[in-house]
Amino acid sequence: MTDDLSSRAVPDKPTIEGLEETWLARWDDERVYHFDRSATRDEVYSIDTPPPTVSGSLHIGHVFSYTHADLMARYQRMSGKKVFYPMGWDDNGLPTERRVENYFGVRCDPSLPYDPDFGVPAKPAEQKVPISRKNFVELCQHLTATDEEVFKNLWRHLGVSVDWTLEYSTISPHSQAISQRAFLEMLARDEVYSSVAPTLWDVDFRTAVSQAELEDRERPANYHRVAFAQGDGSGRVEIETTRPELLASCVALVAHPDDERYQALFGTTVLTPLFQVEVPVVAHELADPEKGSGIAMICTFGDTTDVIWWRELSLPTRALIGRDGRFLPADFGAEDWPTRDVAAARDFYAQLEGRTVNQVRATVVDALRESGALIGELRAITHPVKFYEKGERPLEIVTSRQWFVKTLEHRGELLARGEQIKWHPDFMKHRYRSWVEGLNVDWNISRQRFFGVPFPVWYRLDESGAVDFEHPILADATQLPVDPSSDPAPGFDESQRHQPGGFIGDPDVMDTWATSSLSPQIAGYWGTDLFERIFPMDLRPQAHEIIRTWLFSTVVRSHFQHDSLPFTNALISGWVLDPDRKKMSKSVGNVVTPMPLLEQHGADALRYWAASGRPGTDTAIDEAQMKIGRRLAIKILNVSKFVLGRLEGVSDVSVADVSEPLDRDLLAKLAQLISDSTTAFEHYDYARALERTEGFFWSFCDNYVELAKSRAYGDGRDPATRSAHATLSLTLATLQRLLAPFVPFVSEEVWRWWHDSSVHLAAWPRVLELGDAPVATGVYDAVGDVLEAVRREKSTQKFSQRKEVAELVVTGPAEVLEVIQSGQRDLVDAGGVRSVIYHEAGEFSVRATLVPDA
RNA sequence: GGGCGCUUAGCUCAGUUGGUUAGAGCAGCUGAUUUACACUCAGCAGGUCGGGGGUUCGAGUCCCUCAGCGCCCA
């Protein structure tokens, strides 16, 4: 080390109060975390930072996970890498829309014209005020800008070493342009298509949702046993269904091909009750003989199994449920709606049209009972029902036009990509694999919403006004981003919108994951030289609940676009549980927000807690752990003050001055610590690095510093004193750097007492700094054992540790005694020992005779 | 139904390829106390490593099995 020891500035009373404000400002001024854009790919460590959803407040889980990423960023930066560490905000999408609706008391009505004078409402209206799409989007932008400031403030206070000049948001024009470009390129490569298909649909949000956004919830339901007359009049077939309201859309009955009860029925027809529609009885192995009566009705569509049956058995479509969740018109008697009794079917259906699912169910069940088709009592069950993860009502299946990314036909390649990722911890790869193996529909990327990236396509209208979806008009790639709902299609004039012979814009926006899956391209400015310097990214840090969404979709996009992985390493954080180890949730009301903890315990302390959570391990909020982190920070201040105080007036000590056996042994142990900590970080095991460093640090404070204390007070010309000075200096400089990723504020403070530039730009400690291969001799531990025995004797006799030892008898093997003897000077100083006697014997023991009271 | 993880001291967790008497921190208990630190220091106590079986000279660690908790996928 070539420290300028004359420029030390150690405060009289060091304190951790105020360190955060001081160093945040200095780091900004000195551009400590600034990314060097001239760096080449091999010099760079790039991080694909998760852009948090901007829809309210940050969660303690964010603090946990982002700290883990920051630990790696800081380690890599000190190791000499140019760290590309951006921060993004995922502000487009439904969560933002919901927040805006509630926050301002508005709702979007795309049919309304833009009101340029519409201001930001001071407080939400009682009734939600309908506003135009453009006004709505403006409110979304307004609110996300405010939220992002709050988020940014929190990250900064946590000490996340982001380069804030690399900030991005997924709704920005830049992100929209990247997203639209990537879409157009996928379209050109035939990786995306639009089609009219049965789609999982949330009737409250009035949008399609994708498989990745589904969750099963156990819901109570009733089995209704319903009798169908056989088509030839020979008898009845009894089915069981939980959704009798869909009876009018029944297109077949289905049973398992091996089910002996129904062999005779396969190939025959039955008549639906009430509607008298003749439908076939078919066989399919997905029919579960154990469920209900083993024979079920297939409706278009009651659930996803209906869709599979419908597709694989080529059944007709008789859709009943509209986008608003209400029953659509059904033209009984027309070609698509055959029935043996047109009048009765029409008459009854007239009571159902326009009603909700629950209303229709009640009406149908009453009619079935009255007609005698409902057999026995309802049978209550609970069964899993598909919900949109953010929704409150079960999903319906609605046929609509959607854009899909072809994932199914690339399943094998995508599984292979998952194997190529270095997962931390390794077992998280199973989450990815089981998700990809379970895919059963292509990735639906269109949402019938407003605040998102529009599809950069328009459609021609023919002379009759019919839409030609098969030949979309594509945006000019040099003109992105575009908004087809306000920009006219290329070659058309705005006046031709909605006119026969004119055009319409695609009304939908993209799924938020369709844009955030391009985070490397967005943050890295795909198409510029920067992108080549940072891609593929080195690290994707994230939480495990978004493996199937963000991680998977990023892999898909990168595989298609670049034929590569988007990142090399995936660092997956666990859950943060509440103090009682329960999962936090809004409904339970045990969600912990980070800001109060940050203010109470300090950033270093909160980071210390987060760093103790190993990758992939669920970790409970533990304020006791935060207090220990705070204690560590204070100890770092005090021991640094003390050591630097001992080094006052000392200059030019180096590893060559380390001559004492005790000191040399300490450096050998320090070398091992450097090696262990470095290896742990290289394996993304920051928690182990912390544990080892912390253990060494406390031992250094309580044992080495005590042992070397009096020697360090000696004459600077004495080699033993110089050895102590050099050891203290080297060890302190090493420990401050090893601790810097974990407790960046206090580490920076104590480092700057004797260095001119940031510890966060200092070189990560290397074993070579400690001279040529220090060899562990065991002096430190052996002397420590004797000292411990002396302390025990004093403690047992309830004396002060300052009580002197009249005679110390150390018994043990010759080689052990020799080792202890080499550290005797420090031992007698630290232990207050007047005389030491060595006895050679097999067993190690220590006997201390204290000086009697005067 | 398939898969993954966890189960070690009162609590939170380490324990690497099997190798002395299973470790740490916190909490508890007993003490100490003037200059780096009361946001301190020392010491003590506390575990048949979830149950059962097996492999081995030797198992917290490897294998089988059972149980409980949590999660992922269907």
Side-chain angles (χ1 to χ4, degrees):
Chain A
M1 302 296 303
T2 56
D3 309 313
D4 179 3
L5 298 181
S6 63
S7 69
R8 284 168 299 190
V10 184
D12 285 341
K13 277 276 168 199
T15 169
I16 58 170
E17 306 304 329
L19 292 186
E20 294 171 19
E21 291 70 20
T22 304
W23 290 112
L24 286 171
R26 287 279 295 277
W27 290 336
D28 280 348
D29 290 348
E30 297 177 11
R31 291 158 47 106
V32 168
Y33 308 122
H34 189 72
F35 176 65
D36 177 358
R37 282 196 176 227
S38 69
T40 55
R41 182 66 195 85
D42 59 322
E43 299 170 319
V44 168
Y45 185 83
S46 48
I47 300 174
D48 192 11
T49 316
T53 303
V54 182
S55 61
S57 56
L58 285 170
H59 189 267
I60 189 75
H62 287 108
V63 163
F64 189 62
S65 177
Y66 281 77
T67 297
H68 299 160
D70 187 60
L71 296 171
M72 294 312 305
R74 290 183 182 278
Y75 164 72
Q76 292 288 347
R77 191 180 292 109
M78 293 177 75
S79 297
K81 292 288 189 182
K82 311 293 184 191
V83 175
F84 179 78
Y85 193 5
M87 179 59 78
W89 312 113
D90 194 10
D91 41 16
N92 85 63
L94 193 49
T96 301
E97 291 190 20
R98 287 177 75 194
R99 177 157 157 78
V100 164
E101 287 168 359
N102 294 328
Y103 194 89
F104 296 118
V106 295
R107 66 180 173 84
C108 181
D109 182 345
S111 68
L112 293 174
Y114 178 58
D115 175 2
D117 298 324
F118 184 79
V120 174
K123 58 178 183 181
E126 297 268 324
Q127 279 278 320
K128 287 205 170 125
V129 180
I131 59 174
S132 77
R133 178 182 182 139
K134 190 168 176 185
N135 287 117
F136 186 73
V137 168
E138 284 177 0
L139 284 183
C140 289
Q141 285 165 339
H142 174 84
L143 189 59
T144 54
T146 314
D147 285 348
E148 282 159 22
E149 277 308 304
V150 175
F151 280 26
K152 183 174 175 176
N153 186 40
L154 177 70
W155 291 145
R156 282 175 43 79
H157 272 88
L158 187 63
V160 173
S161 61
V162 156
D163 178 351
W164 288 99
T165 66
L166 302 174
E167 197 174 343
Y168 69 87
S169 91
T170 58
I171 199 65
S172 71
H174 164 69
S175 295
Q176 297 209 22
I178 296 278
S179 185
Q180 291 183 337
R181 173 183 163 192
F183 173 82
L184 291 172
E185 295 194 13
M186 280 203 298
L187 193 57
R189 291 191 304 262
D190 196 29
E191 290 155 356
V192 64
Y193 62 94
S194 85
S195 83
V196 177
T199 308
L200 285 155
W201 187 273
D202 189 291
V203 298
D204 292 314
F205 295 115
R206 300 205 185 173
T207 180
V209 300
S210 66
Q211 188 182 352
E213 295 166 305
L214 301 186
E215 66 183 31
D216 283 353
R217 297 182 197 162
E218 285 291 328
R219 283 293 133 121
N222 289 303
Y223 261 130
H224 302 69
R225 196 170 185 92
V226 178
F228 284 55
Q230 287 189 251
D232 58 8
S234 61
R236 304 211 303 181
V237 180
E238 292 178 9
I239 62 113
E240 288 202 277
T241 179
T242 59
R243 300 209 63 183
E245 68 274 18
L246 294 176
L247 184 61
S249 71
C250 175
V251 292
L253 298 189
V254 64
H256 195 275
D258 300 335
D259 193 327
E260 296 190 355
R261 293 169 291 179
Y262 302 110
Q263 292 297 322
L265 287 175
F266 294 139
T268 68
T269 64
V270 294
L271 290 174
T272 62
L274 307 179
F275 299 100
Q276 304 302 316
V277 178
E278 186 171 6
V279 298
V281 180
V282 296
H284 193 281
E285 57 274 8
L286 281 183
D288 183 356
E290 304 293 313
K291 228 171 171 178
S293 55
I295 186 164
M297 64 174 184
I298 302 175
C299 299
T300 56
F301 300 92
D303 62 26
T304 50
T305 315
D306 281 339
V307 178
I308 295 169
W309 284 325
W310 166 80
R311 188 184 299 123
E312 296 189 2
L313 301 170
S314 301
L315 296 165
T317 312
R318 288 173 206 139
L320 288 184
I321 296 177
R323 295 186 170 206
D324 57 359
R326 290 174 183 273
F327 274 58
L328 297 166
D331 191 10
F332 281 99
E335 191 185 344
D336 296 341
W337 295 88
T339 166
R340 287 195 186 171
D341 188 344
V342 176
R346 287 190 172 195
D347 196 40
F348 182 61
Y349 194 78
Q351 298 175 51
L352 309 183
E353 186 180 329
R355 314 293 294 278
T356 65
V357 167
N358 285 339
Q359 291 166 339
V360 170
R361 180 179 303 158
T363 306
V364 169
V365 169
D366 284 349
L368 285 171
R369 185 169 282 128
E370 203 172 309
S371 71
L374 187 66
I375 312 294
E377 294 302 308
L378 305 189
R379 192 157 59 84
I381 58 160
T382 62
H383 66 159
V385 176
K386 297 219 179 303
F387 279 72
Y388 175 38
E389 59 189 357
K390 299 183 176 75
E392 280 151 24
R393 277 203 276 177
L395 291 169
E396 294 296 348
I397 293 172
V398 169
T399 298
S400 55
R401 177 168 290 277
Q402 306 286 340
W403 286 101
F404 293 91
V405 174
K406 294 180 178 175
T407 53
L408 296 183
E409 63 188 66
H410 299 281
R411 193 194 308 267
E413 299 148 50
L414 294 170
L415 285 170
R417 289 291 180 204
E419 294 299 318
Q420 290 164 15
I421 295 171
K422 290 180 188 154
W423 297 87
H424 308 284
D426 187 61
F427 65 78
M428 284 293 173
K429 71 183 177 194
H430 300 296
R431 303 276 178 103
Y432 176 92
R433 191 179 43 203
S434 61
W435 169 250
V436 177
E437 285 174 346
L439 288 173
N440 54 39
V441 289
D442 279 334
W443 176 19
N444 179 349
I445 57 166
S446 44
R447 297 291 179 274
Q448 289 64 49
R449 299 296 306 186
F450 318 107
F451 191 54
V453 179
F455 288 87
V457 297
W458 296 260
Y459 307 102
R460 289 183 185 81
L461 299 179
D462 69 10
E463 294 311 316
S464 68
V467 183
D468 176 10
F469 287 109
E470 297 309 312
H471 304 92
I473 307 165
L474 306 181
D476 178 343
T478 65
Q479 301 296 312
L480 302 177
V482 297
D483 182 359
S485 70
S486 57
D487 299 326
F492 289 82
D493 186 82
E494 183 60 30
S495 66
Q496 293 171 276
R497 188 182 293 272
H498 297 306
Q499 302 302 314
F503 72 93
I504 59 165
D506 189 302
D508 293 345
V509 296
M510 295 185 205
D511 171 19
T512 192
W513 302 112
T515 299
S516 60
S517 58
L518 297 164
S519 53
Q521 291 84 349
I522 291 168
Y525 285 80
W526 178 34
T528 71
D529 68 302
L530 175 61
F531 190 66
E532 309 307 321
R533 299 174 195 277
I534 59 99
F535 188 86
M537 302 284 225
D538 291 282
L539 175 62
R540 159 60 71 89
Q542 64 164 77
H544 56 67
E545 75 264 27
I546 54 175
I547 288 174
R548 69 175 182 174
T549 51
W550 190 41
L551 192 145
F552 170 70
S553 62
T554 312
V555 170
V556 169
R557 302 305 290 274
S558 180
H559 176 66
F560 285 165
Q561 190 68 49
H562 307 287
D563 191 23
S564 88
L565 280 178
F567 40 76
T568 310
N569 295 281
L571 176 61
I572 309 296
S573 299
W575 290 104
V576 175
L577 307 173
D578 81 359
D580 299 324
R581 295 199 67 77
K582 296 278 186 304
K583 191 175 160 181
M584 287 190 284
S585 78
K586 274 186 184 162
S587 55
V588 178
N590 59 348
V591 173
V592 174
T593 52
M595 210 46 168
L597 290 171
L598 197 50
E599 282 165 358
Q600 188 188 342
H601 300 285
D604 283 341
L606 201 56
R607 292 172 61 101
Y608 174 87
W609 161 74
S612 71
R614 299 185 128 71
T617 304
D618 294 349
T619 302
I621 293 173
D622 186 353
E623 295 201 51
Q625 193 71 5
M626 294 171 201
K627 287 180 182 144
I628 297 161
R630 190 181 169 88
R631 211 162 67 95
L632 173 66
I634 292 166
K635 193 73 172 180
I636 292 168
L637 280 179
N638 284 312
V639 80
S640 297
K641 174 181 180 235
F642 177 74
V643 168
L644 293 178
R646 294 284 58 72
L647 296 176
E648 205 168 330
V650 174
S651 58
D652 295 336
V653 286
S654 77
V655 67
D657 295 306
V658 180
S659 52
E660 290 293 299
L662 180 80
D663 299 348
R664 294 187 61 77
D665 193 41
L666 183 81
L667 290 196
K669 294 178 86 69
L670 185 63
Q672 187 60 50
L673 173 67
I674 293 171
S675 172
D676 287 350
S677 178
T678 305
T679 303
F681 265 115
E682 289 297 323
H683 289 92
Y684 290 81
D685 195 353
Y686 45 79
R688 175 188 292 261
L690 172 58
E691 185 191 44
R692 297 296 161 93
T693 303
E694 190 191 8
F696 188 101
F697 172 77
W698 283 100
S699 165
F700 170 71
C701 293
D702 295 338
N703 295 319
Y704 180 77
V705 170
E706 291 303 321
L707 283 165
K709 200 180 238 178
S710 73
R711 183 153 51 92
Y713 273 104
D715 183 337
R717 285 166 300 185
D718 174 1
T721 298
R722 280 188 74 79
S723 180
H725 289 161
T727 307
L728 286 169
S729 175
L730 286 163
T731 308
L732 185 70
T734 301
L735 288 172
Q736 287 178 350
R737 285 175 292 157
L738 291 176
L739 288 163
F742 303 101
V743 283
F745 293 100
V746 75
S747 302
E748 181 74 321
E749 171 71 12
V750 295
W751 182 258
R752 296 281 188 135
W753 289 344
W754 57 326
H755 298 86
D756 293 330
S757 62
S758 175
V759 71
H760 302 296
L761 296 174
W764 183 253
R766 292 192 309 150
V767 171
L768 283 177
E769 293 170 18
L770 304 180
D772 43 332
V775 177
T777 54
V779 180
Y780 183 65
D781 285 342
V783 170
D785 286 347
V786 179
L787 184 62
E788 187 185 312
V790 171
R791 285 167 167 170
R792 186 182 302 117
E793 187 60 26
K794 293 176 182 177
S795 194
T796 305
Q797 298 197 31
K798 303 189 177 174
F799 279 114
S800 159
Q801 290 298 326
R802 290 171 178 269
K803 180 81 174 177
E804 292 209 312
V805 176
E807 186 183 80
L808 181 66
V809 181
V810 183
T811 309
E815 61 274 19
V816 172
L817 298 183
E818 194 184 333
V819 159
I820 292 168
Q821 225 160 348
S822 73
Q824 180 174 322
R825 172 177 174 177
D826 294 329
L827 180 60
V828 299
D829 285 343
V833 178
R834 289 183 186 170
S835 72
V836 190
I837 296 166
Y838 295 98
H839 272 312
E840 207 177 313
E843 285 288 292
F844 175 76
S845 70
V846 177
R847 200 181 74 239
T849 309
L850 304 186
V851 175
D853 281 332

